[in-house]
Amino acid sequence: MLVNSREMLLDAKKNKYAVPQFNINNLEWTKTILEKCNEMNLPVILGVSEGAIKYMGGANTVVGMVNGLIKDLNIGVPVCLHLDHGGSFEMCKKTIDAGFTSVMIDASKYPLEENMRITKEVVDYAHARGITVEAEVGHIGGSEDNITSSSNNATLEDCLEIAKTGIDSLAPALGSVHGLYKGEPNLDFETMKKINDNLSIPLVLHGGTGIPDYDIKKAIECGINKININTELQIAWHDAVLEFVKENESVYDPRKVIGSGREAMLTKVQEKNRLFFGL
Ligand code: 13P
């Protein structure tokens, strides 16, 4: 069933674990993630970036595909369909109207006051329709959707301010980046813990790819309840497909070519679920 993220994240906060957000890119991605999470009997957040929505045809197509898979595959676990890094009120509205159950408004490129104004507008629209909202403060840099930007860490004061907009969860920039790290990740666990001690809403860690397991565990201890994974699944899929294509140059059936990355993705989803849920 499609649900918003409220219950799953509050349970994660109460019981000190993190729910994964796996970003989806196409039908095969969505099907593989849903099947593995259903088999493990775990809730899941499907993250869809603006670029991925455009790639798949539009927000209505994404909602139709996810709802169809939930029905046809008898997916019984809670599934949240979440807009990742919505860049404007209009984009959040569009996805909510299409049937997304959660949105991230990322107005982190603006000064805090403007970030808060846009975020509040989204919260008002979303909450009136039972939809949850995630916001970002500071700025999480790196590379996503072919956009590269530099990081700017959040402060406790910024977090306390933006929480006043009524958001359901918060992604403070604390050293993680989207895409691959240049060198070792350097997460500010001290500020993370401070934010968690002073805020009652669940915290989100973006840029989950490339963060070592011990730092993921530490982040969960410091109050992280949702972790986003995109690049790592793409790499797992790519490596497997590359090997398949090298060995099967004459295979042209797209189901076989794209599908040759499925096992690697199933393994990765299982590995992340075990780590994030502490299984
Ligand atoms: P990675 O691409 O580093 O896994 O980050 C994903 C993410 O944070 C999506 O918002």
Side-chain angles (χ1 to χ4, degrees):
M1 200 185 39
L2 268 190
V3 296
N4 66 32
S5 66
R6 188 166 295 124
E7 292 304 319
M8 48 175 100
L9 292 187
L10 288 179
D11 191 71
K13 191 167 171 67
K14 192 169 145 215
N15 295 299
K16 291 191 180 303
Y17 63 86
V19 180
Q21 170 188 310
F22 294 114
N23 280 55
I24 58 170
N25 295 286
N26 56 18
L27 172 74
E28 289 80 359
W29 236 258
T30 316
K31 184 167 173 269
T32 304
I33 294 164
L34 286 177
E35 283 177 331
K36 179 48 85 179
C37 294
N38 198 50
E39 181 197 306
M40 296 180 82
N41 199 22
L42 295 169
V44 63
I45 298 171
L46 300 175
V48 205
S49 67
E50 290 195 17
I53 290 174
K54 201 168 164 199
Y55 172 80
M56 286 185 266
N60 292 295
T61 309
V62 176
V63 172
M65 175 183 71
V66 172
N67 273 324
L69 285 171
I70 290 174
K71 196 168 175 197
D72 286 342
L73 302 175
N74 291 315
I75 302 296
V77 294
V79 179
C80 172
L81 183 57
H82 177 78
L83 169 66
D84 190 25
H85 294 283
S88 62
F89 170 79
E90 289 71 28
M91 190 62 199
C92 292
K93 179 179 181 302
K94 200 181 202 175
T95 48
I96 291 169
D97 292 349
F100 276 57
T101 50
S102 184
V103 291
M104 175 189 190
I105 172 67
D106 177 1
S108 64
K109 65 178 177 200
Y110 300 109
L112 183 64
E113 221 169 279
E114 180 65 356
N115 184 350
M116 286 178 66
R117 188 192 65 73
I118 300 169
T119 299
K120 177 81 173 74
E121 201 181 353
V122 173
V123 167
D124 289 345
Y125 190 80
H127 283 183
R129 291 157 181 81
I131 304 303
T132 40
V133 180
E134 173 183 329
E136 175 171 328
V137 272
H139 182 72
I140 302 159
S143 177
E144 189 170 56
D145 255 359
N146 295 320
I147 297 166
T148 304
S149 58
S150 51
S151 303
N152 171 24
N153 275 14
T155 63
L156 172 63
E157 292 68 33
D158 291 351
C159 294
L160 295 178
E161 274 307 301
I162 200 153
K164 291 178 187 162
T165 58
I167 47 172
D168 301 278
S169 60
L170 177 64
L174 292 170
S176 63
V177 299
H178 296 118
L180 298 175
Y181 286 83
K182 294 189 183 92
E184 286 290 300
N186 182 18
L187 301 186
D188 182 353
F189 292 110
E190 204 183 315
T191 308
M192 199 182 279
K193 187 165 183 330
K194 241 188 250 168
I195 297 167
N196 187 47
D197 288 345
N198 286 278
L199 266 190
S200 58
I201 52 173
L203 301 181
V204 181
L205 179 64
H206 280 246
T209 296
I211 300 179
D213 289 3
Y214 55 85
D215 271 354
I216 290 282
K217 287 182 186 158
K218 205 167 164 187
I220 294 172
E221 273 167 32
C222 290
I224 292 293
N225 298 124
K226 172 176 177 273
I227 303 175
N228 294 3
I229 295 284
N230 185 17
T231 310
E232 208 164 329
L233 264 191
Q234 295 187 350
I235 292 173
W237 176 84
H238 164 265
D239 291 353
V241 172
L242 195 61
E243 201 173 309
F244 176 84
V245 171
K246 274 186 198 156
E247 285 168 12
N248 301 275
E249 278 185 25
S250 59
V251 176
Y252 50 78
D253 182 339
R255 291 169 297 186
K256 290 191 178 140
V257 177
I258 299 171
S260 65
R262 177 178 154 87
E263 280 306 317
M265 286 177 62
L266 287 170
T267 305
K268 190 55 79 181
V269 171
Q270 173 161 305
E271 187 185 306
K272 294 298 164 193
N273 272 338
R274 285 193 177 146
L275 178 65
F276 295 176
F277 285 95
L279 302 174

